[in-house]
């Protein structure tokens, strides 16, 4: 394996670098930022490499092994940073174990083997997933994915494991029926009726392993969403309409107005928004609601995406500097030179918990999307950035902007 750079600085030269080298370097640097020890990251790295199997040794000089739906450049790995006001940020890694396989059937088989190996390592059952195998892994399964899994990385202990499966595996026309039957088998017979209308169900997810309250989550696609639509889709628990509207408008920027017709409401006309609806054992109603905005389709470049994400983090009382450092750990390219490093921004509301902001971060092992020149460069006005802050400039420069980075404190953010 190649020598890894110091934590916090992305590797610059590719050479004959392999996919495994690339993502392990990113994992190590990100882990150091969120407080994972070298022992933690080494263990999680072993799991990641084992799941990628032979694909980990594939040189990046070759094109992607398959057109993975997981990322725009087809890297089968994505990181995410989950932030709350009342606790330290947590790091997650999402991957497609069967990425190198050419058929959905083979990809599903590789994915199930990876999950069962992880279950053996950390001694947790897979009964819920096993009960759904005939629904989500038919012989002639359709794409765009068979199985993904994510690890919620936790210092010094077993990770939380999330498994994502495709409700359209037997065909998109059967997706609703598949979701309804899966929820019934998992003990949520009335849950399907609680889901909002939408244009499809891209994922169903299961929490496996070390979770205090494991959830089943259903994702719903919402083309042409407006800020008002987003507010209307949220349950009442803990999700203030003003917060949802602010999040939508900041993450989406200035959504496009339809060119024709009487309705001139700004809407997401490119990649659609997603909502996620969580169900927890013993609850008749949803226990959580998440709004996912594909920020990469509604900004000029990643410099603007970062500015919008920072404004959101500040608004919700969270430290924005961790996200800035995380982007530097992923790449040394200038943020203004591409778009998609921040793929999605999500606002998460869960019963009896403070809101969470999650930024989904692309690995960019194979390519960088160019800036979207049709979007004008926007400098967020102070009123859009959230509450007035008292920042103290740090003594180092950001490699992305050439400007001094700000330090942050929760006390300052509330001034």
């Amino acid at each position: 394996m190649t020598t890894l750079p110091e934590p916090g600085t992305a590797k610059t030269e590719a050479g004959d670098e392999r996919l495994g080298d690339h993502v392990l370097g990113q994992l190590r640097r990100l882990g150091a930022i969120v407080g994972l020890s070298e022992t933690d990251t080494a263990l999680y790295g072993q799991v990641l490499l084992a799941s990628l199997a032979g694909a980990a040794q594939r040189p990046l000089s070759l094109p992607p092994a398959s057109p993975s739906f997981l990322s725009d450049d087809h890297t089968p790995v994505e990181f995410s940073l989950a932030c709350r006001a009342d606790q330290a940020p947590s790091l997650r890694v999402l991957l497609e174990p069967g990425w190198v396989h050419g058929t959905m059937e083979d990809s599903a088989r590789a994915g199930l083997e990876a999950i069962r190996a992880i279950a053996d390592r950390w001694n947790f059952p897979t009964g819920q997933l096993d009960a759904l195998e005939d629904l989500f892994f038919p012989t002639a399964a359709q794409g765009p994915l068979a199985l993904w899994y994510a690890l919620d990385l936790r210092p010094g202990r077993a990770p939380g494991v999330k498994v994502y499966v495709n409700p359209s595996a037997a065909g998109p026309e059967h997706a609703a029926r598949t979701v309804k039957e899966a929820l019934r088998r998992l003990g949520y017979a009335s849950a399907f009726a609680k889901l909002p209308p939408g244009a499809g169900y891209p994922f169903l997810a299961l929490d496996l392993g070390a979770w205090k309250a494991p959830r089943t989550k259903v994702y719903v696609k919402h083309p042409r969403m407006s800020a008002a639509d987003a507010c209307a889709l949220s349950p009442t628990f803990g999700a203030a309409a003003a917060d949802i509207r602010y999040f939508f408008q900041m993450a989406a920027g200035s959504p496009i107005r339809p060119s024709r017709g009487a309705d001139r409401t700004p809407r997401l006309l490119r990649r659609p928004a997603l909502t996620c609806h969580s169900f927890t054992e013993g609850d008749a109603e949803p226990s959580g609601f998440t709004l996912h905005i594909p920020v990469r389709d509604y900004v000029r470049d990643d410099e603007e995406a970062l500015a919008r994400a920072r404004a959101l983090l500040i608004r919700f009382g969270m430290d924005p500097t961790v996200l800035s450092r995380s982007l530097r750990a992923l790449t040394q390219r200038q943020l203004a030179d591409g778009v998609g490093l921040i793929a999605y921004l999500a606002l998460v509301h869960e019963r009896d918990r403070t809101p969470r902001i999650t930024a989904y971060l692309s690995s960019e092992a194979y390519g960088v999307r160019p800036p979207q020149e049709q979007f004008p460069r926007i400098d967020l006005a102070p009123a859009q950035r959230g509450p007035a802050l008292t920042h103290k400039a740090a003594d180092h420069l950001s490699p992305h902007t050439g400007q001094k980075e700000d330090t942050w404190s929760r006390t300052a953010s509330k001034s």
Side-chain angles (χ1 to χ4, degrees):
M1 185 175 297
T2 58
T3 302
L4 299 180
E6 295 181 2
T9 304
K11 188 178 173 69
T12 53
E13 70 281 351
D16 293 328
E17 187 182 23
R18 296 165 293 183
L19 176 62
D21 298 328
H22 180 81
V23 296
L24 281 181
Q26 292 175 323
L27 176 64
R28 177 186 171 188
R29 295 187 294 272
L30 289 168
I33 290 170
V34 300
L36 293 175
S37 69
E38 291 187 7
T39 301
D40 291 329
T41 53
L43 175 59
Y44 290 135
Q46 290 172 9
V47 174
L48 189 151
L49 287 182
S51 294
L52 290 174
Q57 303 304 317
R58 186 179 175 86
L60 294 184
S61 57
L62 297 177
S66 71
S68 176
F69 175 61
L70 193 150
S71 63
D72 287 344
D73 74 327
H74 310 307
T75 305
V77 176
E78 177 189 74
F79 298 94
S80 60
L81 191 69
C83 302
R84 290 188 191 274
D86 56 358
Q87 62 187 49
S90 62
L91 178 65
R92 297 165 182 176
V93 58
L94 173 70
L95 68 148
E96 184 171 9
W99 171 72
V100 76
H101 296 284
T103 69
M104 286 295 107
E105 184 177 2
D106 289 341
S107 181
R109 184 179 302 110
L112 289 170
E113 289 175 356
I115 289 299
R116 286 164 182 155
I118 293 171
D120 288 343
R121 175 186 287 267
W122 279 294
N123 192 30
F124 63 82
T126 61
Q128 287 188 314
L129 180 61
D130 298 339
L132 306 180
E133 191 165 341
D134 62 306
L135 292 177
F136 292 98
F137 309 114
T139 301
Q142 300 183 31
L145 73 144
L147 183 149
W148 299 344
Y149 79 79
L151 299 180
D152 187 71
L153 308 183
R154 300 166 180 175
R157 57 195 180 101
V161 181
K162 305 168 185 279
V163 177
Y164 298 80
V165 291
N166 176 23
S168 296
E173 68 276 15
H174 300 302
R177 185 173 63 190
T178 297
V179 169
K180 186 175 183 179
E181 173 60 16
L183 290 171
R184 186 194 67 78
R185 293 187 191 182
L186 294 169
Y188 305 107
S190 62
F192 187 79
K194 310 292 184 181
L195 298 175
Y201 305 93
F203 315 108
L204 183 141
L206 301 172
D207 286 349
L208 302 178
W211 299 94
K212 291 182 180 178
R215 301 154 299 169
T216 295
K217 301 189 295 182
V218 180
Y219 291 75
V220 183
K221 187 188 305 182
H222 301 280
R224 300 177 58 85
M225 177 182 274
S226 69
D229 294 336
C231 293
L233 289 171
S234 168
T236 57
F237 60 86
D243 286 346
I244 294 173
R245 183 176 294 275
Y246 182 90
F247 174 83
F248 181 93
Q249 292 174 339
M250 186 56 65
S254 298
I256 302 167
R257 295 181 184 273
S259 58
R260 297 179 182 178
D263 180 9
R264 300 290 292 162
T265 303
R267 298 182 179 277
L268 301 182
L269 300 184
R270 293 188 175 89
R271 206 179 317 238
L274 302 177
T275 58
C276 173
H277 307 268
S278 301
F279 299 91
T280 306
E281 185 176 357
D283 288 333
E285 298 291 329
S287 59
F289 167 81
T290 304
L291 174 62
H292 297 262
I293 300 293
V295 61
R296 66 192 185 277
D297 280 0
Y298 299 96
V299 294
R300 182 186 185 278
D301 52 43
D302 283 310
E303 190 169 62
E304 183 182 342
L306 175 59
R308 294 184 178 279
R310 286 175 60 95
L312 286 168
L313 291 167
I314 292 169
R315 160 76 177 231
F316 287 90
M318 303 167 192
D319 180 358
T321 64
V322 176
L323 177 58
S324 302
R325 294 169 60 203
S326 295
L327 296 187
R328 187 172 65 212
L330 289 172
T331 183
Q332 284 191 338
R333 72 165 173 84
Q334 298 293 310
L335 293 187
D337 290 344
V339 66
L341 191 62
I342 304 178
Y344 275 87
L345 291 171
L347 174 63
V348 185
H349 279 278
E350 297 171 303
R351 185 180 296 128
D352 301 325
R353 302 196 70 181
T354 57
R356 186 175 79 231
I357 298 288
T358 301
Y360 294 82
L361 309 177
S362 300
S363 175
E364 292 188 341
Y366 291 100
V368 177
R369 285 177 58 190
Q372 300 175 121
E373 302 292 350
Q374 69 270 30
F375 287 101
R377 184 176 294 280
I378 297 174
D379 181 28
L380 297 182
Q384 293 177 290
R385 291 176 182 148
L389 303 180
T390 303
H391 281 158
K392 179 181 177 182
D395 293 329
H396 57 280
L397 300 181
S398 162
H400 302 307
T401 64
Q403 298 175 349
K404 284 189 176 181
E405 293 184 351
D406 292 330
T407 58
W408 179 91
S409 74
R410 186 167 289 108
T411 302
S413 74
K414 293 179 180 178
S415 62

